Amino acid sequence: MKADEIAIFVFSFNRGKFLLNCLESIEICAPNIQVFVLDDSSDDPQTLSVLDTLRDRYNVIVNDDSEAVEFKTGGLAGAMNMAIQLARRQGIQYAYFIQDDMQFVRSLTNSDIEQYAEYFRLTPNSIQLSTSFVRQLSADTFSVDYDISLSAGAYLRRKARERSKSNFSDTGIFSVHRFFEIFEKFEVGENKNSQKARDFGLTCGRAIYPSICWLPYPTSYRGKRRSLKHMFFERYGRSGFHPINIMTETEASRFVERDPNVLPVMEKFLLSPYSPRHDIWSTGGGEYNFICYNGKLAKIFTAARSLKNFLRGGTP
């Protein structure tokens, strides 16, 4: 795979600072790759101003598919379909999907790009490769769920461990040709896409040497809105804008030369200087941030919810 056979598609909504940070990381880590910005009809003045400044340097496309909207990700599915169709029209072989609350954390090398092509050659039952880091909270089960394929450069999920969103990710590398040959279109929601992937017998590998990561404790939206409850959770979950330091050449070399049995856990290999916590990162926004930050209110909230479940006959 050559650099001109791959393009990066950034999905954005109402987070101007996050979008700029994501694009700056691409300029540093993947300067020779074409970039498209798919904005989900942002209406925040600051974000609109940012988008205006970007149009001279990037292909900025506004998603106006109001029918493909869900509670958590807004109009992401519609924007993803626009992106993959654009990739096919332009003859792009591999589409790299990344969201505005993510960033590149190390340089994307020719070896990385060649490994992506090898992954798809060796994994015919896959339309995509997830290229993001693993969370510390998922590390214990990850080792049980996945086998290592050194030749494919990926962790491949064991068939018996497939569940929920395990067969699909909204981000990472997509084989454009294989996508249209097998999948045809994205459904609205990761769970639906994962079920569709399972129905087709597809898997989603996880890169042994990921290059992108979600920012810790981000501000977020639900259905393109922020309710009072959501804002409460994010305020007391210390949600905000917490960029990650890009790896130095030495750090990146050490990372790709490590034993693949050492999982690429974000909290162990990356540093976000202003993250509320450095040992445990929440990347989901909302209530996830609130619980992971584990402040006094979160401890009371978690205890009350456990008691409520127990009284209902569930587990505490």
Side-chain angles (χ1 to χ4, degrees):
M1 189 195 302
K2 299 177 182 177
D4 59 358
E5 297 173 340
I6 183 173
I8 298 173
F9 295 84
V10 183
F11 299 93
S12 169
F13 177 72
N14 272 3
R15 290 188 288 202
K17 286 194 298 185
F18 286 79
L19 176 58
L20 282 176
N21 177 70
C22 180
L23 291 170
E24 286 171 3
S25 75
I26 294 171
E27 290 174 357
I28 294 169
C29 298
N32 300 318
I33 296 180
Q34 187 177 17
V35 178
F36 297 87
V37 177
L38 280 293
D39 183 69
D40 196 13
S41 296
S42 290
D43 53 15
D44 166 58
Q46 191 244 4
T47 302
L48 292 174
S49 177
V50 167
L51 289 168
D52 284 340
T53 65
L54 295 175
R55 286 187 167 87
D56 291 337
R57 289 181 289 155
Y58 300 102
N59 299 284
V60 177
I61 302 163
V62 176
N63 169 37
D64 57 3
D65 186 359
S66 59
E67 295 182 3
V69 175
E70 68 152 356
F71 174 67
K72 185 175 181 181
T73 62
L76 179 61
M80 290 171 67
N81 280 314
M82 291 177 66
I84 203 79
Q85 290 162 7
L86 176 60
R88 180 169 66 169
R89 288 197 302 270
Q90 297 209 0
I92 295 165
Q93 293 191 43
Y94 298 94
Y96 200 141
F97 284 9
I98 182 172
Q99 296 177 17
D100 57 4
D101 58 343
M102 305 179 79
Q103 67 167 83
F104 275 81
V105 295
R106 66 176 182 86
S107 293
L108 194 64
T109 66
N110 289 333
S111 294
D112 289 317
I113 295 174
E114 290 168 3
Q115 184 63 71
Y116 299 152
E118 188 68 0
Y119 166 79
F120 286 109
R121 186 183 75 81
L122 295 173
T123 320
N125 65 327
S126 182
I127 61 170
Q128 69 173 131
L129 172 68
S130 173
T131 54
S132 57
F133 278 67
V134 177
R135 291 189 310 151
Q136 179 62 49
L137 291 173
S138 306
D140 289 343
T141 57
F142 193 97
S143 298
V144 177
D145 291 343
Y146 289 84
D147 291 316
I148 299 174
S149 173
L150 293 177
S151 55
Y155 303 101
L156 300 177
R157 186 176 279 268
R158 295 167 182 158
K159 193 73 177 173
R161 303 292 295 180
E162 292 179 348
R163 59 183 180 274
S164 184
K165 298 184 288 186
S166 63
N167 294 60
F168 181 85
S169 173
D170 285 333
T171 65
I173 301 282
F174 286 85
S175 168
V176 177
H177 170 75
R178 194 175 290 176
F179 174 86
F180 283 103
E181 183 180 58
I182 301 174
F183 215 69
E184 295 186 350
K185 73 173 287 189
F186 294 110
E187 307 302 328
V188 181
E190 246 181 346
N191 280 319
K192 287 186 178 179
N193 283 307
S194 186
Q195 183 59 58
K196 184 175 179 179
R198 285 198 295 279
D199 291 342
F200 287 134
L202 300 177
T203 190
C204 174
R206 297 289 300 267
I208 295 174
Y209 310 108
S211 50
I212 61 175
C213 189
W214 301 91
L215 270 57
Y217 298 93
T219 51
S220 63
Y221 290 82
R222 296 292 182 264
K224 301 177 73 170
R225 293 190 174 135
R226 287 173 57 78
S227 68
L228 288 174
K229 179 181 177 182
H230 189 76
M231 287 189 284
F232 170 87
F233 281 136
E234 293 209 330
R235 177 177 178 182
Y236 290 100
R238 302 299 189 270
S239 304
F241 173 57
H242 310 120
I244 300 169
N245 289 353
I246 293 174
M247 289 181 175
T248 64
E249 288 186 17
T250 300
E251 290 169 337
S253 295
R254 191 179 301 125
F255 175 68
V256 299
E257 291 168 2
R258 80 188 196 283
D259 181 345
N261 287 291
V262 178
L263 297 179
V265 174
M266 56 181 69
E267 294 94 331
K268 292 185 177 179
F269 286 98
L270 303 174
L271 174 65
S272 176
Y274 302 106
S275 173
R277 287 185 64 169
H278 298 290
D279 55 338
I280 297 294
W281 287 3
S282 167
T283 58
E287 185 176 326
Y288 304 105
N289 291 0
F290 179 68
I291 293 172
C292 284
Y293 177 67
N294 202 28
K296 290 181 180 178
L297 286 176
K299 290 175 182 176
I300 295 170
F301 173 81
T302 303
R305 187 166 63 178
S306 295
L307 177 60
K308 182 178 178 181
N309 290 337
F310 177 72
L311 292 175
R312 286 181 172 179
T315 56

